Amino acid sequence: MRFGILGETKAWRDDGSEVPLGGPARRALLALLLVRPGEVVSADRLAEEVDPAGALSAHAVQSQVSRLRTALGPAAIERSAAGYRIVVELDAVDACRFERLAGRGRAALRDGEAEQAVALLREALGLWRGPALAEVAERETARAAAVRLEELRLAALEDRFEGALRLGDHRAAVPELRALVGRHPLREQLAALLMRALFAEGGQAEALVVFEETRRHLAEQLGADPSAELAAIHRELLSADPTPSPTAPPAQLTSFVGRAGEVNETAELLRVARLVTLVGPGGVGKTRLAVELAGSPADEVCFAELAPLRDGAALPQALLGALGLRGNGLHLDGVRAPLDRLITALSDRMLLLVLDNCEHLVEESAALVARLLATCPRLRILATSREPLGIIGESLQYVGPLDEDAAMRLFTDRAAAVRRGFAPDPALVRRICTALDGLPLAIELAAARLRTMEIADLAGRLDDLLGIAGRGTRTADQRHRTLRSVVAWGWDLLSESERRAARRFAVFAGGASAEAAAGVCDADGETLESLADKSFLQAGRGRYRMLETIRTFAAEQLAAAGEQDVAERAHGRYVRQLVRTADPYLRTAEQLEWLPVVTAVHDDLLTAVRRAVRAQEVAAALDLLASASAYLWIRGASTSVAPHAAALLETIGDRPPAGRGEEYAVCVLLAASGSAGQPVWQRHRAAAEQALAAAWPGERAGRYPVALLVWMMRSAGQAQADDRQSAFELVSAQHDCPEPWARAVARYVSGFGFLGTGDTPGAERAFGLAGDAFGALGDRWGSALALDMLAGLAAGRGDRAEAVALTDRALALTEQLGALEDAADLLVSRGDQLAADDPAAAGADYVRAAELAVGAGSADGLAAALRGQADLALSEGDLTAAERLYSEALERIDPHWIKALCNRVRTLTGLARVAELRGDHVTARTHYRTAAEAAAEAGPSAPAVLGLFGLPAPVVEAVSRR
């Protein structure tokens, strides 16, 4: 007999059947005896603990014990002079077994046997069914035991997570660790494990947030500092390289069977060819082969899934996202085409880029691949497609069906996974695999049916379905029909609720969380799990995904069922609700928690926007874009929606829809962030500004305060002084606005007004107030912007130490946000601040800035770093190196971007000084004049701004005279 106290008190016979114990008094009595099995508990203690009110007599205890004996057997409980004891083997009590297994797990972990430790600890923790000693946990005798067992459970959980992290299973650990840290905020070991798991997955900034929250809880509740271990992890996070990691190949939950020869052959091709395309029909296993190949190279790998894309123009932006790069910096830089940024990012990077599922965008994919290979000499590309890309230099690797032996091994492997003790009949397995043409996906779908079907019945059904008799050599088209037939047959065997969920899942762009899938697909968790069991969905890392072949079939079924509009609207509502919920948190200390949440549905956001725009659902599309706008700007992804925003404006026309004026203005800003945004801006600017001013009159708040800052930045780069002034007045009017983020923006923008009049102390006060306001809200984006300006002001008055300290603070914030390009900009600023006193440190900053700028695909960031290196060469008297570096910088600077103005002027000035030192005064005057003309584009504030950044007197004087 077995007993359980890790949850409701229970007893089970050896055959697994449960023993009826009776009412709560009897269960409480048994629980108290099982707290210390084999030890005597006095009758008085039992009476007092079972009924604290004192209504239970010794005779009543004896009566309850007698009834327990009847249920458990007369030998189960012994009577002695001192009381009662239960006679049971320790391992028959779940709590005792738990302690033994947990101890063995901890010992295995200590000995370096992580896999064994995790298995033991999972078994131990699986014994828990609820709170320990649930019926008597508040009784005196049991309270200490319950607390002790709960402590042991937490320790076992920590050991299990430690083992999982050692085995590299970081991502799966994060959700559960988050929940545990939320319930136990003072438990430093849990916080340390979560920080390590987040860091291993590239979530350095999120890990820093966990440390800060834990530190605050310890200080407020215990008056203590973090432990040495937690502090050490924090130091490691701060010193870690913030460079984002490319997307890794998707994790595979099943074994790889039958293609060892093709892996070796293709790997050899990749060593000599820069473009290899895996070609074959759907379901033949191209993606799985690509995943295996991506796991073997020594150099860096980026895996880009193209199946969710529906527009070839979005390919460069999608690849930037796969590389972990932003579309633009926090300062909302000038319009740079995503392709240009992509080329800059890959220009000198040794990388294997995997492009999975190119067939639906084959022409656009071919053009992009050709351009990347021509401009990025160290790049290699592995593509999968149902047809070749058809460009020069392409090496084709045809992926065909599995041979007979490999197909049989695959079927047997998958069948054993769904049916324990599966004993294959070789003849039947061969017959099934022959019927399925050796197609891996068809084999996996068929094997999944063995959960509920005998293998002989399966073979017979396939014979009827596919007509195996008399088949000869099969063409690719016939194999495609085979696969489709198997998918359709498996579909017909699903229940109606499973079919409805599967066809509606087709509206997701990529994968989906269980919660999202349940809501959009009108399904419960059991239905989704059943679809995964039957291979119609794939589960992993807390999300579901659907293979493209099955998605295509499911989408057809969705349309045939007449549910496409319903499903798409449900999907749109889900995305809109998520981004709307996230929006206010993105301007607070929670932004690091919410940015990844929205990033995870970025492809679904694009899909929902595209559908709404295509259907001319103006209100829905405007609401989606506006609700997502803060995320898009902070994350640097506004260019990804720019074409859709521009198309929506074509539908809307030149006047904002009633009740959607602010959303219309946001749409104009998003459309203007694209490579063709200037005509959109010129056409819609006036109407959008009127709408924005109406939404933000100053005495009340609108809905999207980030639009105010973006409007000001966008307007600052325009040639018309009236446009700049009206934007300045609009934002400045928010000083008394009830929205705190808008007030912070107003203070930030007013600093530029003080700069324009030469009042640098006033500017410093304004930027300082803005920084304080952003900091009070916990917003790292606004704080970094304000700190950057304060650092420039400190440098301008000669306080370089203060400038460096402020820049360091801004750097820490931009790194938390993953703003690689802005980190490069700030490193250049710090280099400029250090150059006079510590040229070696300045040089190191310029070099690191150049690396980050290249990694971010920022030509302007690279130009700034080269200009800094040129300044150092000039100060050392190396005129040749200085001229070369200045010239390289000038080639990369965008002459139409306001943020690049100072760098362009400094570069031209540097070239003028080189010419002066060589005695070429004509060239020097030409460069000075060009620099002054460029600087004058900044308007009346140009002299103050240029003087602030330490530009030579000839340029500042020339601008002042204009």
PDB file of all heavy atoms in Angstrom, residues 764-786:
ATOM      1  N   GLU A 764      20.426  73.194 -20.144  1.00  0.00           N
ATOM      2  CA  GLU A 764      20.845  72.141 -19.216  1.00  0.00           C
ATOM      3  C   GLU A 764      19.762  71.887 -18.168  1.00  0.00           C
ATOM      4  O   GLU A 764      19.492  70.735 -17.810  1.00  0.00           O
ATOM      5  CB  GLU A 764      22.155  72.538 -18.548  1.00  0.00           C
ATOM      6  CG  GLU A 764      22.786  71.414 -17.758  1.00  0.00           C
ATOM      7  CD  GLU A 764      24.265  71.632 -17.525  1.00  0.00           C
ATOM      8  OE1 GLU A 764      24.765  72.750 -17.803  1.00  0.00           O
ATOM      9  OE2 GLU A 764      24.917  70.690 -17.063  1.00  0.00           O
ATOM     10  N   ARG A 765      19.133  72.953 -17.692  1.00  0.00           N
ATOM     11  CA  ARG A 765      18.037  72.771 -16.724  1.00  0.00           C
ATOM     12  C   ARG A 765      16.902  71.967 -17.358  1.00  0.00           C
ATOM     13  O   ARG A 765      16.337  71.060 -16.740  1.00  0.00           O
ATOM     14  CB  ARG A 765      17.527  74.120 -16.233  1.00  0.00           C
ATOM     15  CG  ARG A 765      18.430  74.818 -15.224  1.00  0.00           C
ATOM     16  CD  ARG A 765      17.698  75.979 -14.563  1.00  0.00           C
ATOM     17  NE  ARG A 765      17.233  76.975 -15.521  1.00  0.00           N
ATOM     18  CZ  ARG A 765      17.970  77.988 -15.984  1.00  0.00           C
ATOM     19  NH1 ARG A 765      19.216  78.138 -15.547  1.00  0.00           N
ATOM     20  NH2 ARG A 765      17.477  78.857 -16.836  1.00  0.00           N
ATOM     21  N   ALA A 766      16.562  72.326 -18.596  1.00  0.00           N
ATOM     22  CA  ALA A 766      15.442  71.651 -19.270  1.00  0.00           C
ATOM     23  C   ALA A 766      15.741  70.178 -19.506  1.00  0.00           C
ATOM     24  O   ALA A 766      14.905  69.302 -19.215  1.00  0.00           O
ATOM     25  CB  ALA A 766      15.145  72.349 -20.601  1.00  0.00           C
ATOM     26  N   PHE A 767      16.933  69.873 -20.021  1.00  0.00           N
ATOM     27  CA  PHE A 767      17.279  68.475 -20.263  1.00  0.00           C
ATOM     28  C   PHE A 767      17.385  67.701 -18.948  1.00  0.00           C
ATOM     29  O   PHE A 767      17.031  66.518 -18.877  1.00  0.00           O
ATOM     30  CB  PHE A 767      18.588  68.366 -21.052  1.00  0.00           C
ATOM     31  CG  PHE A 767      18.471  68.820 -22.487  1.00  0.00           C
ATOM     32  CD1 PHE A 767      19.360  69.746 -23.011  1.00  0.00           C
ATOM     33  CD2 PHE A 767      17.472  68.310 -23.299  1.00  0.00           C
ATOM     34  CE1 PHE A 767      19.262  70.166 -24.330  1.00  0.00           C
ATOM     35  CE2 PHE A 767      17.362  68.726 -24.630  1.00  0.00           C
ATOM     36  CZ  PHE A 767      18.254  69.655 -25.146  1.00  0.00           C
ATOM     37  N   GLY A 768      17.873  68.372 -17.893  1.00  0.00           N
ATOM     38  CA  GLY A 768      17.950  67.720 -16.591  1.00  0.00           C
ATOM     39  C   GLY A 768      16.572  67.386 -16.054  1.00  0.00           C
ATOM     40  O   GLY A 768      16.338  66.282 -15.520  1.00  0.00           O
ATOM     41  N   LEU A 769      15.621  68.339 -16.176  1.00  0.00           N
ATOM     42  CA  LEU A 769      14.251  68.072 -15.733  1.00  0.00           C
ATOM     43  C   LEU A 769      13.620  66.942 -16.556  1.00  0.00           C
ATOM     44  O   LEU A 769      12.887  66.108 -16.025  1.00  0.00           O
ATOM     45  CB  LEU A 769      13.413  69.342 -15.850  1.00  0.00           C
ATOM     46  CG  LEU A 769      13.726  70.455 -14.833  1.00  0.00           C
ATOM     47  CD1 LEU A 769      12.990  71.742 -15.208  1.00  0.00           C
ATOM     48  CD2 LEU A 769      13.328  69.998 -13.421  1.00  0.00           C
ATOM     49  N   ALA A 770      13.910  66.946 -17.854  1.00  0.00           N
ATOM     50  CA  ALA A 770      13.374  65.881 -18.714  1.00  0.00           C
ATOM     51  C   ALA A 770      13.925  64.530 -18.286  1.00  0.00           C
ATOM     52  O   ALA A 770      13.182  63.544 -18.172  1.00  0.00           O
ATOM     53  CB  ALA A 770      13.723  66.167 -20.175  1.00  0.00           C
ATOM     54  N   GLY A 771      15.245  64.488 -18.043  1.00  0.00           N
ATOM     55  CA  GLY A 771      15.848  63.229 -17.612  1.00  0.00           C
ATOM     56  C   GLY A 771      15.263  62.739 -16.304  1.00  0.00           C
ATOM     57  O   GLY A 771      14.995  61.545 -16.130  1.00  0.00           O
ATOM     58  N   ASP A 772      15.050  63.657 -15.369  1.00  0.00           N
ATOM     59  CA  ASP A 772      14.438  63.271 -14.086  1.00  0.00           C
ATOM     60  C   ASP A 772      13.024  62.735 -14.291  1.00  0.00           C
ATOM     61  O   ASP A 772      12.616  61.757 -13.644  1.00  0.00           O
ATOM     62  CB  ASP A 772      14.400  64.477 -13.144  1.00  0.00           C
ATOM     63  CG  ASP A 772      15.789  64.903 -12.679  1.00  0.00           C
ATOM     64  OD1 ASP A 772      16.733  64.092 -12.807  1.00  0.00           O
ATOM     65  OD2 ASP A 772      15.923  66.054 -12.206  1.00  0.00           O
ATOM     66  N   ALA A 773      12.287  63.398 -15.172  1.00  0.00           N
ATOM     67  CA  ALA A 773      10.898  62.981 -15.403  1.00  0.00           C
ATOM     68  C   ALA A 773      10.844  61.605 -16.069  1.00  0.00           C
ATOM     69  O   ALA A 773      10.051  60.739 -15.671  1.00  0.00           O
ATOM     70  CB  ALA A 773      10.186  64.018 -16.274  1.00  0.00           C
ATOM     71  N   PHE A 774      11.683  61.402 -17.090  1.00  0.00           N
ATOM     72  CA  PHE A 774      11.727  60.082 -17.727  1.00  0.00           C
ATOM     73  C   PHE A 774      12.191  59.022 -16.720  1.00  0.00           C
ATOM     74  O   PHE A 774      11.669  57.905 -16.688  1.00  0.00           O
ATOM     75  CB  PHE A 774      12.677  60.098 -18.927  1.00  0.00           C
ATOM     76  CG  PHE A 774      12.134  60.791 -20.151  1.00  0.00           C
ATOM     77  CD1 PHE A 774      12.844  61.811 -20.770  1.00  0.00           C
ATOM     78  CD2 PHE A 774      10.913  60.419 -20.693  1.00  0.00           C
ATOM     79  CE1 PHE A 774      12.355  62.440 -21.900  1.00  0.00           C
ATOM     80  CE2 PHE A 774      10.410  61.049 -21.830  1.00  0.00           C
ATOM     81  CZ  PHE A 774      11.134  62.066 -22.428  1.00  0.00           C
ATOM     82  N   GLY A 775      13.189  59.370 -15.913  1.00  0.00           N
ATOM     83  CA  GLY A 775      13.704  58.425 -14.931  1.00  0.00           C
ATOM     84  C   GLY A 775      12.661  58.048 -13.894  1.00  0.00           C
ATOM     85  O   GLY A 775      12.577  56.892 -13.468  1.00  0.00           O
ATOM     86  N   ALA A 776      11.855  59.025 -13.466  1.00  0.00           N
ATOM     87  CA  ALA A 776      10.809  58.735 -12.480  1.00  0.00           C
ATOM     88  C   ALA A 776       9.787  57.756 -13.039  1.00  0.00           C
ATOM     89  O   ALA A 776       9.209  56.947 -12.302  1.00  0.00           O
ATOM     90  CB  ALA A 776      10.117  60.030 -12.061  1.00  0.00           C
ATOM     91  N   LEU A 777       9.575  57.814 -14.345  1.00  0.00           N
ATOM     92  CA  LEU A 777       8.640  56.885 -14.981  1.00  0.00           C
ATOM     93  C   LEU A 777       9.282  55.521 -15.249  1.00  0.00           C
ATOM     94  O   LEU A 777       8.582  54.548 -15.544  1.00  0.00           O
ATOM     95  CB  LEU A 777       8.153  57.466 -16.313  1.00  0.00           C
ATOM     96  CG  LEU A 777       7.265  58.719 -16.211  1.00  0.00           C
ATOM     97  CD1 LEU A 777       7.080  59.344 -17.585  1.00  0.00           C
ATOM     98  CD2 LEU A 777       5.920  58.347 -15.611  1.00  0.00           C
ATOM     99  N   GLY A 778      10.616  55.455 -15.166  1.00  0.00           N
ATOM    100  CA  GLY A 778      11.318  54.210 -15.458  1.00  0.00           C
ATOM    101  C   GLY A 778      11.573  54.000 -16.930  1.00  0.00           C
ATOM    102  O   GLY A 778      11.954  52.906 -17.358  1.00  0.00           O
ATOM    103  N   ASP A 779      11.386  55.060 -17.760  1.00  0.00           N
ATOM    104  CA  ASP A 779      11.550  54.937 -19.210  1.00  0.00           C
ATOM    105  C   ASP A 779      13.016  55.117 -19.592  1.00  0.00           C
ATOM    106  O   ASP A 779      13.575  56.209 -19.448  1.00  0.00           O
ATOM    107  CB  ASP A 779      10.683  55.967 -19.932  1.00  0.00           C
ATOM    108  CG  ASP A 779      10.943  55.968 -21.427  1.00  0.00           C
ATOM    109  OD1 ASP A 779      11.198  54.887 -21.973  1.00  0.00           O
ATOM    110  OD2 ASP A 779      10.911  57.050 -22.039  1.00  0.00           O
ATOM    111  N   ARG A 780      13.623  54.065 -20.105  1.00  0.00           N
ATOM    112  CA  ARG A 780      15.035  54.121 -20.478  1.00  0.00           C
ATOM    113  C   ARG A 780      15.259  54.889 -21.779  1.00  0.00           C
ATOM    114  O   ARG A 780      16.316  55.480 -21.968  1.00  0.00           O
ATOM    115  CB  ARG A 780      15.576  52.693 -20.610  1.00  0.00           C
ATOM    116  CG  ARG A 780      15.566  51.956 -19.271  1.00  0.00           C
ATOM    117  CD  ARG A 780      15.488  50.447 -19.473  1.00  0.00           C
ATOM    118  NE  ARG A 780      15.390  49.739 -18.199  1.00  0.00           N
ATOM    119  CZ  ARG A 780      14.268  49.543 -17.540  1.00  0.00           C
ATOM    120  NH1 ARG A 780      13.124  50.021 -18.017  1.00  0.00           N
ATOM    121  NH2 ARG A 780      14.251  48.887 -16.403  1.00  0.00           N
ATOM    122  N   TRP A 781      14.279  54.842 -22.672  1.00  0.00           N
ATOM    123  CA  TRP A 781      14.419  55.503 -23.963  1.00  0.00           C
ATOM    124  C   TRP A 781      14.566  57.012 -23.778  1.00  0.00           C
ATOM    125  O   TRP A 781      15.550  57.616 -24.190  1.00  0.00           O
ATOM    126  CB  TRP A 781      13.201  55.172 -24.827  1.00  0.00           C
ATOM    127  CG  TRP A 781      13.278  55.672 -26.239  1.00  0.00           C
ATOM    128  CD1 TRP A 781      14.379  55.751 -27.032  1.00  0.00           C
ATOM    129  CD2 TRP A 781      12.186  56.153 -27.030  1.00  0.00           C
ATOM    130  NE1 TRP A 781      14.045  56.235 -28.270  1.00  0.00           N
ATOM    131  CE2 TRP A 781      12.702  56.486 -28.296  1.00  0.00           C
ATOM    132  CE3 TRP A 781      10.833  56.318 -26.793  1.00  0.00           C
ATOM    133  CZ2 TRP A 781      11.898  56.989 -29.322  1.00  0.00           C
ATOM    134  CZ3 TRP A 781      10.037  56.808 -27.823  1.00  0.00           C
ATOM    135  CH2 TRP A 781      10.556  57.144 -29.069  1.00  0.00           C
ATOM    136  N   GLY A 782      13.567  57.623 -23.151  1.00  0.00           N
ATOM    137  CA  GLY A 782      13.631  59.064 -22.932  1.00  0.00           C
ATOM    138  C   GLY A 782      14.813  59.456 -22.058  1.00  0.00           C
ATOM    139  O   GLY A 782      15.467  60.485 -22.300  1.00  0.00           O
ATOM    140  N   SER A 783      15.119  58.650 -21.040  1.00  0.00           N
ATOM    141  CA  SER A 783      16.248  58.954 -20.162  1.00  0.00           C
ATOM    142  C   SER A 783      17.546  59.006 -20.959  1.00  0.00           C
ATOM    143  O   SER A 783      18.385  59.890 -20.756  1.00  0.00           O
ATOM    144  CB  SER A 783      16.359  57.904 -19.058  1.00  0.00           C
ATOM    145  OG  SER A 783      15.215  57.923 -18.227  1.00  0.00           O
ATOM    146  N   ALA A 784      17.729  58.050 -21.867  1.00  0.00           N
ATOM    147  CA  ALA A 784      18.957  58.015 -22.669  1.00  0.00           C
ATOM    148  C   ALA A 784      19.061  59.248 -23.562  1.00  0.00           C
ATOM    149  O   ALA A 784      20.144  59.825 -23.721  1.00  0.00           O
ATOM    150  CB  ALA A 784      19.002  56.741 -23.504  1.00  0.00           C
ATOM    151  N   LEU A 785      17.937  59.666 -24.157  1.00  0.00           N
ATOM    152  CA  LEU A 785      17.952  60.858 -25.001  1.00  0.00           C
ATOM    153  C   LEU A 785      18.384  62.092 -24.193  1.00  0.00           C
ATOM    154  O   LEU A 785      19.219  62.891 -24.641  1.00  0.00           O
ATOM    155  CB  LEU A 785      16.564  61.087 -25.598  1.00  0.00           C
ATOM    156  CG  LEU A 785      16.053  60.043 -26.600  1.00  0.00           C
ATOM    157  CD1 LEU A 785      14.620  60.351 -26.996  1.00  0.00           C
ATOM    158  CD2 LEU A 785      16.950  59.991 -27.825  1.00  0.00           C
ATOM    159  N   ALA A 786      17.811  62.247 -22.995  1.00  0.00           N
ATOM    160  CA  ALA A 786      18.134  63.413 -22.170  1.00  0.00           C
ATOM    161  C   ALA A 786      19.583  63.369 -21.687  1.00  0.00           C
ATOM    162  O   ALA A 786      20.291  64.381 -21.697  1.00  0.00           O
ATOM    163  CB  ALA A 786      17.176  63.489 -20.980  1.00  0.00           C
TER     164      ALA A 786
END
